[in-house]
Amino acid sequence: MGNLSFQLILSCSYLFCLICIASGFVPLDNYLIDCGSPRNASVGNRTFLADNFYSDILSTAQNILANTNSSSLSSSYDSTLYLTARIFDQASRYTFPIKENGRHLIRLYFFPFVYREYNLSTAKFSISAQNFTLLEGFQLDKGSVVKEYSFNITTNQLVLTFTPNTDSFAFVNALEVISLPIELIPHSARIVEMPGDYQNLQSKALETVLRVNMGNQTVHPQKDTLWRLWVSDDTFLKHSTVSIVSNVKAVTYKNGNVTENIAPPSVYGTATKLDSVLDPNLNVNITWLFSVDAGFNYLVRFHFCDIVNSTLGSFLFNVYINSWFAYRSFDLSTLTSNVIGRPYYFDVITSSTSSSALSVSVGPSPEGSYPMAILNGLEIMKISNSQDSLETSDSENGSLKTNSRSKIILIAGLSGGICIVLVVVSALFFVCRRRRKLAAVGHSKEDNFVMNQTGDKNSNSLAVFSTSTFGYRYPFTAIEEATNNFSEDLIIGTGGFGKVYKGIFRDGTKVAVKRGQSKSQQGLTEFRTEIEMLSQFRHRHLVSLIGYCDERNEMIIIYEFMENGTLKSHLYCSDRPVLSWKQRLEICIGSAKGLHYLHTGSTRAIIHRDVKSANILLDENLMAKVADFGLSKTGPEIDQTHVSTAVKGSFGYLDPEYLTRQQLTEKSDVYSFGVVMLEILCGRAVIDPSLPREKVNLVEWAMKWRERGRIQETIDPHLVAQASEESLWKFVEIAEKCLAQCGLDRPQMGDVLWNLESALQVQLKEEKPSDKGELAPRADWIGYLDTHPSASTTQFSMGSLGDLASVSMSKLFAKMAKEDMR
Ligand SMILES: *[C@@H]1O[C@H](CO)[C@@H](O)[C@H](O)[C@H]1NC(C)=O
Ligand SMILES: *[C@@H]1O[C@H](CO)[C@@H](O)[C@H](O)[C@H]1NC(C)=O
Ligand SMILES: *[C@@H]1O[C@H](CO)[C@@H](O)[C@H](O)[C@H]1NC(C)=O
Ligand SMILES: *[C@@H]1O[C@H](CO)[C@@H](O)[C@H](O)[C@H]1NC(C)=O
Ligand SMILES: *[C@@H]1O[C@H](CO)[C@@H](O)[C@H](O)[C@H]1NC(C)=O
Ligand SMILES: *[C@@H]1O[C@H](CO)[C@@H](O)[C@H](O)[C@H]1NC(C)=O
Ligand SMILES: *[C@@H]1O[C@H](CO)[C@@H](O)[C@H](O)[C@H]1NC(C)=O
Ligand SMILES: *[C@@H]1O[C@H](CO)[C@@H](O)[C@H](O)[C@H]1NC(C)=O
Ligand SMILES: *[C@@H]1O[C@H](CO)[C@@H](O)[C@H](O)[C@H]1NC(C)=O
Ligand SMILES: *[C@@H]1O[C@H](CO)[C@@H](O)[C@H](O)[C@H]1NC(C)=O
Ligand SMILES: *[C@@H]1O[C@H](CO)[C@@H](O)[C@H](O)[C@H]1NC(C)=O
């Protein structure tokens, strides 16, 4: 009896399975539109609905329905879709209601023909969806093209916008919007060129560059549950000793993790393999060459299935991308539990696309018992850059260059804004707790490379991790030696990223060694951002990169050693000697120069995003250098982690406009710099919870006194004896401008620099008359004040110190100066 019911269940589930397979994947959101067509069109098992069926989701615009009787189209399975098109004379939008959040697939069909006065070959236009740029300045001379994209839709609608270029128009022959199975695209994937994972893939748009079926056979959309096209590999194959195997029947998805939605049996059932039958010592790679757009990261998915069922048993082989190991000694048999015909796939991310060639190889591993390598399928997907674009932006071209600089603005969503407010509250405590931590340590949480999208910098930025292009890579053993095996005694700082050690190389070079915790998930991207930024920018006032190490899963960055630590440690909370006013001005000028260079030194402005006294380091001559580029970036990013991190990393220094309007520009750095100037002026922490409430926030406190015309209440008492009044005034004035609520009212870093220099000139001029040291010029006054305290106020308000005078201050002033003179 039990046996019978068991069989019943078995046959039922078998039946159910059959139904599943027969019907394939049923997308909940399923829009198929045969644009321009008055009729429904059958394509394979699907029906593309007539254009007018969906006219209500299209923004009202003058659109033209076009058709052709072109004979140049071969009768491929989707050829009916190309006979008609919709032409957009002006920007137009499709707004698709979305039932199911998650990754959706968008397919756009294009075939240019001539319709009345419209020659579709001349059409030039851009397409964007949500906030992703899918196509920009797109033009198609001839032939049909299907563009395929996927991205995560988190709202209840998808807006697809067609924007014609000036004096041009846009068109589309057909379009598809379907929801994808959740298992299709992972949230993260291993990076080929470095240890660690690429995070946050779900926030990226992907564009299918190619789907390739190995085994010299094209798999048409009818045979794929998601109607994907898999082209034959033979045109990409570099000549080598290969053989083709085909055994579709052997493919079995049963009990495995791979479903038919990942790839159909006709993909797993054919393969290109190394032909080692005649030569058991054969040692060659099978290589496929693909052309891709340089400057992007790519998600590459390898599909494997042992359909060979070799009598020789298991085999090992290596998988490479651009000569990097994508998988070393890949053991298919073990990964598929020795089940012949069970599919397996893995994903990797590659960023080494400084050239437009992507090569994929499989070849024998020396660890294997006999030469064998096989590949069944391959997918290459372009990942949207940090500008949310899938197109190389035009910004490197001509006049747009300068334009883009002024337009680099971060716009976070509303939810991001709410998040910031929450984070700010908690960040107060957080920041207070970690005040003392040395800030040569980065703690950015970016999820992407920063420089990748700038085409003109590809050769630099993308090759950062290959020894051939950069001499920065250091062997781990050398670093171990330099830091005395990462001795605790040499730790000079700790932070979110890991620890910073002082190191001395054999040749006597002192360095700062920042060692990332291998556990830290975000660390990897910080690591890259830092290296990419630092290797690109060389400036007297930016901390230099000496090298890095990524051996053995390490994430180590080596910087020039800054003898005098952070500016912060010289201003308060330490027993370091007090900086003179002149020194403070020089430090200000140095760091302003560094920032000015960041903002203007390259074609795209770099926003540091984490300007603070802890990120300004001083060398043995107290020369200032700006450090910590982990958060720096050229472009926007809208995910929450990064927003909250930005707040975390620089609370107290944060541009209020950024908080309220979520716009980050270079002026946000200017604001933060203004805060640093106040720190320098007042010699206290930005947030000091130990002080009375009205004093906790430095900016509020100082600006309140400034409004009352008594900024002197806040000035570091150490300065009073030495600073020239005029120079102080200039300084306060600049700081105040930097702290303007509205970014537009703040000066450029260049202006700040200029004004600081003039403040220094004033100071120097006043110091000149007497060369007896910093305090000398004021000595006579002090004597006067000390003996005639009652006269002090008058003396000051009339004298050159002007508003700086106040009784309490002059007393302090006198006492201090006396002590110094002894
Ligand atoms: C196209 O198909 C839809 C849905 O099946 C149907 O409602 C519509 O009437 C059809 N349109 C034409 C022109 O046949
Ligand atoms: C398409 O329909 C044909 C017959 O109508 C059927 O044999 C085939 O399995 C279907 N394909 C898919 C992917 O559903
Ligand atoms: C179809 O093709 C013929 C000859 O190529 C041409 O004369 C005719 O105008 C075309 N019809 C349309 C609707 O394009
Ligand atoms: C349409 O434009 C293409 C590209 O500009 C050109 O080669 C072709 O001759 C044009 N066709 C017609 C009919 O004007
Ligand atoms: C796109 O960006 C705008 C701000 O420019 C934002 O308000 C909106 O929520 C974003 N849309 C999506 C779908 O992310
Ligand atoms: C889509 O985004 C949401 C929110 O960010 C996330 O929870 C979900 O896992 C994502 N889905 C996919 C398929 O990436
Ligand atoms: C692939 O197939 C084509 C014909 O369809 C043939 O000419 C070519 O030699 C094949 N390539 C390989 C590697 O077998
Ligand atoms: C399936 O996936 C789980 C978790 O991702 C893993 O533990 C298991 O080994 C996988 N099974 C096979 C057959 O790959
Ligand atoms: C593999 O080969 C063995 C014998 O060589 C055969 O018994 C078995 O059925 C084959 N398996 C498959 C899946 O083809
Ligand atoms: C296969 O390619 C890898 C990466 O380019 C290379 O290191 C290896 O030497 C090649 N093997 C053979 C046998 O050519
Ligand atoms: C800049 O634009 C011109 C014309 O639009 C083009 O010919 C040139 O190749 C572009 N240069 C770059 C670097 O993209």
Side-chain angles (χ1 to χ4, degrees), residues 283-285 320 323:
N283 190 15
V284 293
N285 290 333
Y320 309 93
S323 299

Side-chain angles (χ1 to χ4, degrees), residues 283-287 320 322-325 359 361-364:
N283 190 15
V284 293
N285 290 333
I286 315 177
T287 299
Y320 309 93
N322 289 340
S323 299
W324 293 86
F325 278 111
S359 83
S361 311
V362 290

Side-chain angles (χ1 to χ4, degrees), residues 380-442:
I380 303 173
M381 285 174 249
K382 190 201 264 185
I383 302 172
S384 59
N385 62 21
S386 56
Q387 322 264 286
D388 283 339
S389 174
L390 284 158
E391 292 273 16
T392 2
S393 77
D394 276 342
S395 57
E396 67 261 32
N397 205 341
S399 61
L400 279 168
K401 244 181 212 173
T402 42
N403 199 11
S404 75
R405 178 185 301 159
S406 55
K407 276 195 181 154
I408 295 167
I409 284 173
L410 169 77
I411 301 166
L414 185 64
S415 60
I418 293 164
C419 183
I420 290 174
V421 174
L422 290 175
V423 170
V424 164
V425 175
S426 54
L428 174 63
F429 300 99
F430 181 81
V431 170
C432 295
R433 274 209 345 253
R434 57 191 306 213
R435 261 192 340 210
R436 282 161 191 260
K437 289 181 183 170
L438 186 78
V441 180

Side-chain angles (χ1 to χ4, degrees), residues 216 232 234 237 242 244:
N216 203 11
S232 160
D234 66 322
L237 193 60
V242 299
I244 302 298

